[in-house]
Amino acid sequence: GAVVVNDKRVEPAEHKKFVQAEVARFGPVIKAAGAYAD
């Protein structure tokens, strides 16, 4: 599903910051689990 946001994340620069923060947040967890995209 999608989550509609109505804040600064809809602006390209802010969205990039958000995505980078999510990668930093969940990246270690995904790597530790051994998951990968194929």
Side-chain angles (χ1 to χ4, degrees):
V3 177
V4 178
V5 295
N6 190 17
D7 58 21
K8 290 184 177 183
R9 287 181 285 173
V10 298
E11 298 171 14
E14 293 298 323
H15 181 70
K16 183 177 179 179
K17 286 182 191 177
F18 172 74
V19 171
Q20 289 173 334
E22 292 294 290
V23 169
R25 180 177 166 196
F26 290 108
V29 175
I30 294 168
K31 287 178 184 176
Y36 60 91
D38 190 13

